[in-house]
Amino acid sequence: MVIRHIRRIKNKFASIVRSIFRKKKDVKIGLYGPVNSGKTTLANKICMDWLGEELGKASSIPHETREVMVKEKVTVRDNGKSLTFNLVDTPGIATKIDFEDFLKFGMKRKDAKQRAKEATRGVIESIKWLDSMDMVLVVLDSTKSPINQVNITILGNLDARNIPVLIVSNKIDVKRSDTTRIRNAFHGYDVIGVSAKNGDMMNEMYKMLLKKI
Amino acid sequence: MDLRIKLIPYEKIKSKDYADVLKDLEEGTILLIDAKLTAAEEAALIEETMKIISDKFSGIELSSMELAHLKEAKGIDKFKNMLVEKILGKKRGLTIIGPAKIVRKIEKNPEDLLLYM
């Protein structure tokens, strides 16, 4: 409880400082997370809701997004409040990329190797973009255990940079989804459970997003 | 192949001297570091690892933990720990980095790290 309050005060202060400089540049909201957590599906849902067009291709094959994709001037509105930002969809962060994993999806050896190569570049790019974010939605797959090094490293880096974070517990439409497990694992963070695929709880997510920045 | 485990000083990571670290990992050595890495150091290590991924080397499994009793310390004990860590220049704990082809998973528990190979 105390940690949560300290984090809120710290983020609020950082947000005030950022807002002073924001006028000069565009606000960037990033989607970060491990591979296959649904970042692009969420980015597409946000873009469809507010711009009427998608951002990129989502797929069940890991590392579908291998380059940072930006959709400019997305305006989210709720109850008279609005926020215009550039939405940045980043490649999933991983500590290992094995081209043989792609072969299981029926990919040819040459293509799998190429995909792995591009995926490694994507991870580096994602990490480099962290510094330019004004806020980050950390997208986690709520059907999987949240305690892993990638999630800890992402959140640790955002904390170190005082970047406001909203954890999005995605895939709540799946039966084995467990948002409570994510809340328990990451005390002090705001967590919202959504289904980017079905659009469940998206309005609640937008409300939280507007409150945080 | 024999299982190789090497203990390396935290200063190697702190000084961003990754060449030997990456060479050891590529050669299949599991590395133990006598401190908890910072989030920035973890990210830098992931970045460096991504640069050397190949058909033979698929990356790493990494886990870093702070000693539980230090993490839970309160009041004067917490202050003392902070002071000691300031003097030492590192967060007391442990980090394990293993080549992904050898270490399948590292389970992080509150007081220990468990390697699955």
Side-chain angles (χ1 to χ4, degrees):
Chain A
M1 200 66 178
V2 177
I3 300 169
R4 181 181 281 237
H5 284 304
I6 293 170
R7 193 186 301 277
R8 275 199 180 137
I9 293 164
K10 205 170 89 175
N11 285 343
K12 195 76 202 164
F13 180 72
S15 162
I16 291 165
V17 172
R18 256 191 301 273
S19 69
I20 295 166
F21 297 100
R22 192 183 298 155
K23 284 160 198 159
K24 293 177 189 168
K25 64 174 186 89
D26 294 324
V27 174
K28 288 192 192 76
I29 297 184
L31 298 177
Y32 274 81
V35 179
N36 268 18
S37 61
K39 293 177 292 300
T40 304
T41 308
L42 182 65
N44 284 340
K45 180 68 188 144
I46 295 171
C47 290
M48 278 304 287
D49 283 351
W50 303 102
L51 295 174
E53 60 185 31
E54 292 194 338
L55 175 66
K57 187 187 161 206
S59 154
S60 59
I61 306 173
H63 297 284
E64 182 63 38
T65 306
R66 299 184 294 284
E67 281 180 352
V68 167
M69 293 187 293
V70 184
K71 190 61 103 178
E72 292 184 344
K73 294 193 173 24
V74 179
T75 304
V76 170
R77 291 182 183 86
D78 180 68
N79 230 355
K81 274 177 88 178
S82 74
L83 175 72
T84 301
F85 55 88
N86 292 344
L87 186 67
V88 184
D89 184 23
T90 65
I93 293 180
T95 60
K96 55 185 173 185
I97 297 168
D98 193 338
F99 81 93
E100 289 183 359
D101 290 341
F102 303 131
L103 300 176
K104 295 169 199 158
F105 292 89
M107 213 171 264
K108 286 181 188 159
R109 207 170 176 82
K110 193 183 161 199
D111 295 340
K113 283 186 182 181
Q114 181 60 27
R115 191 183 183 93
K117 203 172 178 182
E118 288 169 9
T120 60
R121 284 193 218 118
V123 173
I124 295 170
E125 209 187 341
S126 287
I127 295 170
K128 289 206 189 307
W129 271 72
L130 268 172
D131 283 320
S132 60
M133 295 299 160
D134 296 291
M135 185 190 164
V136 165
L137 303 180
V138 176
V139 185
L140 304 182
D141 180 344
S142 61
T143 67
K144 291 182 180 165
S145 168
I147 302 282
N148 64 57
Q149 194 58 46
V150 166
N151 295 346
I152 292 166
T153 301
I154 294 171
L155 288 168
N157 275 278
L158 294 168
D159 266 355
R161 290 166 171 83
N162 280 326
I163 297 171
V165 173
L166 174 59
I167 297 180
V168 180
S169 164
N170 193 19
K171 306 188 187 181
I172 60 165
D173 55 300
V174 180
K175 208 176 173 185
R176 57 181 191 283
S177 156
D178 189 353
T179 298
T180 308
R181 190 166 49 169
I182 294 176
R183 283 205 177 93
N184 292 339
F186 301 118
H187 280 293
Y189 288 93
D190 288 322
V191 179
I192 177 86
V194 308
S195 165
K197 188 178 153 196
N198 295 350
D200 303 337
M201 297 292 284
M202 288 300 291
N203 286 338
E204 285 73 8
M205 192 197 82
Y206 295 134
K207 278 185 211 300
M208 285 180 89
L209 193 147
L210 285 168
K211 263 189 211 163
K212 281 203 84 78
I213 196 159
Chain B
M1 195 174 80
D2 292 336
L3 180 67
R4 283 179 302 179
I5 301 173
K6 195 188 235 184
L7 180 65
I8 61 165
Y10 166 72
E11 285 66 24
K12 228 170 173 72
I13 300 287
K14 196 180 181 184
S15 62
K16 297 181 178 166
D17 180 10
Y18 298 113
D20 290 344
V21 171
L22 296 173
K23 190 168 174 275
D24 280 333
L25 291 165
E26 267 185 302
E27 288 172 354
T29 307
I30 297 169
L31 302 176
L32 296 182
I33 301 168
D34 61 334
K36 183 190 185 303
L37 302 191
T38 65
E41 286 161 349
E42 287 167 2
L45 192 62
I46 294 171
E47 250 188 283
E48 293 303 315
T49 307
M50 287 296 131
K51 292 177 189 168
I52 59 159
I53 282 188
S54 65
D55 295 359
K56 288 181 186 157
F57 179 69
S58 62
I60 56 170
E61 275 294 337
L62 157 79
S63 199
S64 203
M65 69 180 285
E66 193 178 348
L67 298 177
H69 71 280
L70 299 178
K71 204 174 169 182
E72 285 154 16
K74 287 188 177 87
I76 190 76
D77 286 336
K78 190 172 184 168
F79 177 72
K80 272 198 274 183
N81 288 333
M82 279 166 63
L83 198 64
V84 170
E85 285 177 350
K86 204 80 190 157
I87 294 165
L88 289 173
K90 62 184 172 188
K91 222 159 176 59
R92 286 182 289 169
L94 182 71
T95 299
I96 297 182
I97 313 166
K101 294 255 187 209
I102 295 169
V103 180
R104 276 190 298 116
K105 190 175 94 171
I106 304 174
E107 196 177 276
K108 192 172 181 172
N109 299 312
E111 291 186 28
D112 55 53
L113 299 171
L114 185 60
L115 272 74
Y116 291 86
M117 295 194 276

